[in-house]
């Protein structure tokens, strides 16, 4: 019996650890999606101002580095690594592909595809692509915020129902007692 309970306990610990890891991964993904709109917007503004993509990433990395000292965001580390790869002389295409693999979020992979296409084709209208992407990112951010709000309201439903039952009990019990006496 003890061996059986030990096996059950080990299985529960493993399941719990896996669940925690999944929750952490989901939280990280959500944070990355929320910061995506700002990253694309900064990149578009800097490229519109006449910077190259390398210079723009360097500027964003220094800004994110300052933010990282204040608040540790998941994207800061990835942007810093991308900037370091570019400074060390790695080809831009390889650095962008590695960034997309590390971050592993659909929106950032889409951004990296835009930047790689710009490298290959040399399109001059990358700013318009990035502005369109920024607009889409803000719309997605609004939808994500609505979704998180709905999830929060759903989580609050049970405690509100319990409070309503308690308030009704507090009001009804004295009324019932007064009628019976």
């Amino acid at each position: 019996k003890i061996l059986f309970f030990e096996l059950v306990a080990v299985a529960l610990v493993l399941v719990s650890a896996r669940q925690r890891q999944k929750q952490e991964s989901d939280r990280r993904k959500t944070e990355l999606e929320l910061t995506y709109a700002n990253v694309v917007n900064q990149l578009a503004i800097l490229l519109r101002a006449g910077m190259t993509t390398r210079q723009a990433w360097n500027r964003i990395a220094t800004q994110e580095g300052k933010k990282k000292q204040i608040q540790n965001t998941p994207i800061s580390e990835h942007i810093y690594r991308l900037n370091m790869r570019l400074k060390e002389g790695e080809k831009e295409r390889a650095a962008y592909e590695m960034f997309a693999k590390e971050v592993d979020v659909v929106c950032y992979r889409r951004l990296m595809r835009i930047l790689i296409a710009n490298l290959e084709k040399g399109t001059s209208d990358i700013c318009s692509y990035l502005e369109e992407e920024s607009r889409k990112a803000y719309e997605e951010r609004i939808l994500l915020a609505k979704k998180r709000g709905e999830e929060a309201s759903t989580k609050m439903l049970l405690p509100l129902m319990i409070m309503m039952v308690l308030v009704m009990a507090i009001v009804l019990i004295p009324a019932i007692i007064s009628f019976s006496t």
Side-chain angles (χ1 to χ4, degrees):
K1 288 181 180 180
I2 293 174
L3 180 63
F4 174 73
F5 286 123
E6 286 178 357
L7 290 175
V8 169
V10 168
L12 289 175
V13 167
L14 291 174
V15 168
S16 173
R18 217 176 265 150
Q19 184 72 16
R20 242 182 283 121
Q21 187 179 24
K22 184 181 182 307
Q23 287 175 345
E24 180 64 27
S25 173
D26 289 345
R27 185 193 61 76
R28 178 186 164 275
K29 182 182 176 196
T30 303
E31 273 188 48
L32 287 170
E33 288 173 346
L34 286 173
T35 58
Y36 176 70
N38 293 335
V39 171
V40 173
N41 193 33
Q42 282 181 326
L43 191 60
I45 289 170
L46 293 173
L47 291 177
R48 178 75 66 186
M51 289 186 169
T52 64
T53 52
R54 281 180 184 261
Q55 292 170 336
W57 281 117
N58 187 23
R59 181 72 167 265
I60 292 171
T62 56
Q63 290 172 351
E64 288 294 323
K66 291 175 185 173
K67 285 182 193 174
K68 186 178 178 185
Q69 293 171 354
I70 299 168
Q71 58 185 9
N72 193 9
T73 59
I75 195 62
S76 300
E77 175 117 6
H78 294 294
I79 290 176
Y80 176 76
R81 279 195 230 136
L82 171 65
N83 188 43
M84 291 309 296
R85 283 191 195 103
L86 292 173
K87 281 184 176 180
E88 291 171 355
E90 188 173 334
K91 301 232 186 245
E92 281 187 64
R93 179 185 175 95
Y96 294 156
E97 288 173 351
M98 185 60 73
F99 179 84
K101 284 180 188 175
E102 285 178 356
V103 174
D104 196 32
V105 177
V106 174
C107 52
Y108 285 99
R109 283 190 297 225
R110 191 170 53 232
L111 173 64
M112 292 302 119
R113 279 196 307 264
I114 291 171
L115 294 176
I116 290 171
N118 179 51
L119 286 174
E120 291 173 352
K121 297 178 183 176
T123 58
S124 61
D125 53 336
I126 186 170
C127 293
S128 61
Y129 289 139
L130 288 176
E131 287 172 1
E132 178 68 22
E133 187 67 24
S134 178
R135 187 186 58 75
K136 287 179 187 176
Y138 276 112
E139 290 172 2
E140 289 174 10
R141 186 175 182 176
I142 290 170
L143 292 175
L144 185 62
K146 285 181 183 178
K147 180 181 171 187
R148 289 180 75 185
E150 290 171 359
E151 289 172 358
S153 66
T154 302
K155 288 180 183 178
M156 291 301 297
L157 194 58
L158 181 64
L160 288 173
M161 294 297 286
I162 291 171
M163 286 176 41
M164 185 181 81
V165 169
L166 287 174
V167 168
M168 289 177 67
I170 290 170
V171 170
L172 291 177
I173 290 175
I176 292 171
I177 292 174
S178 70
F179 281 134
S180 62
T181 55

